[in-house]
């Protein structure tokens, strides 16, 4: 009996060209060596959860590594089920610029856009 080929794991998230370019630009100006950008979620805000972003100086044992468009993103293990299928974008408008998460697991968001209500992805 032949061994079954393991099913490829889905990519947790992806970046738009604009997001990847902005992350590369910011990383190039870092005063400390970083291995990538760590993304997660935490409880907070009026809608229940907030996205978190920080520079990662090292890779934690349970981080999910996403390499997309030349950028290394480390997804916090506790956030994986909330971020599955998410696209990270960088948008500039007349009044603001920043990273935007297009997340299929988002149920709702507060009026200011700083916090969201997320559900765990269904496999």
């Amino acid at each position: 009996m032949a061994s079954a080929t393991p099913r490829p794991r889905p990519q947790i998230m992806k970046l738009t060209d604009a997001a990847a370019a902005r992350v590369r630009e910011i990383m190039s100006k870092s005063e400390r060596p970083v291995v990538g950008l760590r993304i997660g979620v935490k409880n907070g805000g009026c809608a229940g959860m907030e996205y978190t972003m920080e520079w990662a100086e090292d890779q934690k044992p349970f981080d999910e590594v996403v390499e997309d468009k030349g950028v290394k993103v480390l997804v916090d293990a506790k956030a994986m089920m909330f971020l599955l299928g998410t696209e990270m974008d960088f948008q500039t408008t007349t009044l603001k610029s920043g990273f935007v998460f297009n997340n299929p697991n988002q149920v709702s968001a507060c009026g200011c856009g700083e916090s969201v209500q997320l559900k765990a992805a269904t496999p």
Side-chain angles (χ1 to χ4, degrees), residues 36-59:
L37 178 66
R38 180 170 288 112
I39 297 178
V41 294
K42 69 176 183 175
N43 291 333
C46 53
M49 298 185 98
E50 297 174 321
Y51 294 104
T52 63
M53 296 173 56
E54 66 181 3
W55 294 118
E57 295 180 10
D58 59 356
Q59 183 177 330

Side-chain angles (χ1 to χ4, degrees), residues 39-42 49 60 62-64 75-83 120:
I39 297 178
V41 294
K42 69 176 183 175
M49 298 185 98
K60 294 182 180 176
F62 297 107
D63 283 341
E64 178 74 21
V75 179
D76 180 58
K78 295 179 294 250
M80 280 192 272
M81 289 304 291
F82 295 107
L83 295 176

